[in-house]
Amino acid sequence: MRDNFSYNDFDSEENEEPFSEAFLSWEDMINKGIKPGYFDPDDLCEIIDTYFSLDKVEEGRFAVRHALKIHPNNVDMIYDILQILDDYELWDDLLELCENCKSLNKVWIDGFKLTSLLELGMEENAFSLFSQTKKKYANNIEDLSIVYLAMAESLFQVDLYEATIDVVKEILPKIKLKDNVDILWIQLQSYLAINDTENGARLCEQIRELNPMDAETWSRLGLIYKEIGEKEKSIDAFEFAASLGKKTPADMLNLIYSYKENGNHIKALEKADEYLKISPDHFIIHLLAANICMEIEAWDKALKYLGKAISLDPYSAFLYLYQSKCLIKLGELEKAIKALEEGIKNSKDSTEELAKQLEELKRMES
């Protein structure tokens, strides 16, 4: 029997969003061989995004062409389409659309073009374009900072970390950091990618000073501190984020895990209970709390959390294994057997792991 459960033992299910009315209408026309007519820009972007999410690339491309034909000068729609192409890493399509729309003379078109060139391995072309755009926007700091951010992000995405750091260093003296914290995050991630934790820690302090009362900043810093092994600072950052109102499931999990990994199991359980007061049916928190209890051999408390987890998901076989383990540790062999029997009945025991454990316990009983 495994001593600790893993969160790979279960899948978190997400409710699938139904297709939009616009998408269904579009599909109906296509299936009937009718040429799509007028759709508003937002609906067209949703249709495009849906096709790409379904990996129906050609259908998505057709929708893009139709959108550009109906709304050739809708700048907001064109930006959204470029963003969708970027999100789905359709770099050739992104580059082609940037070329076709360059007459709009928007800085974000240059940014998307830089991204596509670097992702396509056309580094020489990308740096040439970057040089041109620096001159083009030299007298407009806001647009210039957008170009630098796009270049830095793109270099980071293709693992050119040293180049990313150099690009950020070049723009820093020209911009107000308070308004451009995103570029510092890119530089921070680049330092961490090359294991330069000294400069990484320095940037963490700088980012803290720029946004001392921003909950999201503290939450992100908590993850960074955790990554560089600063456990106490990680906990402090997550705690401060929570005090500023950031108490999402992910943030609470981070805080519970941080206390657990730092060896402070009691505090980890306190945080788990605190969260369960807000969301008593949170399956993952019950599992994590049970795991912590099992680590510190608090078998009675582990049973409480496992019992709630089973009531929320009676079909997961592994829950009954841990329930039976806790009962055995408490000397409750008969109850452990009943737990396994219930587990076999409810979960169907496809791996027969419960049946094997049950057989072993029955031998112990006899």
Side-chain angles (χ1 to χ4, degrees):
M1 186 195 306
R2 294 173 294 173
D3 284 341
N4 294 298
F5 53 71
S6 162
Y7 291 100
N8 292 325
D9 288 328
F10 64 93
D11 295 318
S12 58
E13 295 182 1
E14 296 182 1
N15 293 325
E16 292 185 7
E17 291 292 328
F19 294 129
S20 69
E21 228 175 275
F23 179 78
L24 293 174
S25 175
W26 175 282
E27 274 279 272
D28 186 55
M29 291 179 189
I30 295 296
N31 291 334
K32 290 178 179 177
I34 301 172
K35 187 176 180 180
Y38 179 87
F39 284 81
D40 72 39
D42 288 341
D43 285 340
L44 285 164
C45 287
E46 190 168 22
I47 291 164
I48 293 163
D49 188 271
T50 302
Y51 274 128
F52 289 146
S53 72
L54 296 171
D55 203 26
K56 294 185 175 182
V57 177
E58 288 308 317
E59 290 88 339
R61 285 171 176 159
F62 175 73
V64 169
R65 291 193 295 271
H66 188 76
L68 295 172
K69 183 178 179 181
I70 296 177
H71 306 287
N73 299 312
N74 190 304
V75 175
D76 290 337
M77 184 195 73
I78 291 170
Y79 174 86
D80 289 340
I81 292 174
L82 288 169
Q83 186 62 64
I84 291 169
L85 294 172
D86 184 282
D87 290 342
Y88 289 98
E89 301 182 358
L90 295 165
W91 309 123
D92 286 307
D93 299 79
L94 183 62
L95 180 58
E96 182 181 353
L97 186 52
C98 286
E99 288 288 354
N100 292 339
C101 296
K102 62 184 177 183
S103 61
L104 293 175
N105 201 29
K106 294 292 182 180
V107 63
W108 37 265
I109 292 177
D110 291 318
F112 281 118
K113 188 174 180 181
L114 284 169
T115 298
S116 61
L117 289 170
L118 282 168
E119 291 287 355
L120 290 168
M122 303 167 68
E123 293 175 17
E124 189 175 336
N125 300 71
F127 279 101
S128 176
L129 176 61
F130 184 49
S131 180
Q132 294 169 31
T133 53
K134 285 194 289 184
K135 294 174 184 175
K136 180 179 177 181
Y137 301 109
N139 296 320
N140 186 327
I141 293 299
E142 185 178 346
D143 285 351
L144 188 65
S145 64
I146 291 172
V147 169
Y148 269 89
L149 178 59
M151 186 65 172
E153 287 178 335
S154 301
L155 288 168
F156 179 81
Q157 289 301 323
V158 295
D159 302 337
L160 295 174
Y161 305 121
E162 297 281 3
T164 305
I165 292 167
D166 290 340
V167 164
V168 175
K169 283 181 178 178
E170 192 175 293
I171 190 62
L172 288 182
K174 304 174 185 177
I175 59 175
K176 292 181 180 178
L177 289 180
K178 181 71 176 176
D179 301 325
N180 294 275
V181 179
D182 283 347
I183 205 161
L184 285 182
W185 282 108
I186 297 297
Q187 189 181 39
L188 171 56
Q189 290 172 299
S190 299
Y191 277 127
L192 296 182
I194 60 173
N195 297 315
D196 187 346
T197 55
E198 184 178 345
N199 273 312
R202 175 183 58 80
L203 272 176
C204 283
E205 298 303 312
Q206 191 174 3
I207 290 170
R208 282 175 56 174
E209 292 170 8
L210 289 169
N211 289 293
M213 301 302 292
D214 181 68
E216 182 62 35
T217 294
W218 283 101
S219 178
R220 291 179 71 181
L221 285 172
L223 292 172
I224 297 296
Y225 284 131
K226 183 179 178 182
E227 184 179 341
I228 63 178
E230 294 278 3
K231 293 182 180 179
E232 291 295 337
K233 285 186 177 181
S234 176
I235 289 171
D236 289 343
F238 286 132
E239 285 281 19
F240 199 50
S243 73
L244 291 170
K246 199 163 190 305
K247 294 184 178 182
T248 65
D251 289 297
M252 292 300 292
L253 274 173
N254 282 327
L255 190 52
I256 296 165
Y257 269 118
S258 294
Y259 276 121
K260 178 178 178 289
E261 290 170 6
N262 206 29
N264 194 337
H265 296 91
I266 302 304
K267 196 69 177 176
L269 282 174
E270 282 180 18
K271 290 299 174 182
D273 288 335
E274 181 184 324
Y275 189 72
L276 289 171
K277 287 178 183 177
I278 303 169
S279 183
D281 293 335
H282 199 294
F283 181 68
I284 295 176
I285 300 293
H286 282 289
L287 283 178
L288 182 53
N291 180 243
I292 293 168
C293 289
M294 291 170 73
E295 284 188 17
I296 61 175
E297 301 185 357
W299 309 113
D300 277 319
K301 289 191 73 173
L303 283 171
K304 180 188 74 171
Y305 294 114
L306 285 169
K308 182 62 177 178
I310 288 170
S311 72
L312 293 169
D313 179 12
Y315 310 109
S316 292
F318 75 95
L319 293 174
Y320 299 96
L321 281 174
Y322 303 119
Q323 188 182 45
S324 69
K325 173 180 177 174
C326 292
L327 289 166
I328 291 168
K329 292 291 186 180
L330 290 169
E332 300 280 4
L333 182 59
E334 188 176 337
K335 287 183 180 179
I337 289 173
K338 286 182 179 179
L340 291 171
E341 289 173 339
E342 182 184 357
I344 291 170
K345 177 183 175 182
N346 291 339
S347 71
K348 309 305 180 188
D349 193 24
S350 60
T351 64
E352 298 188 352
E353 201 169 347
L354 295 180
K356 292 173 186 174
Q357 183 64 16
L358 179 60
E359 187 180 344
E360 184 179 330
L361 293 191
K362 285 186 173 180
R363 281 201 301 269
M364 289 171 58
E365 187 180 39
S366 60

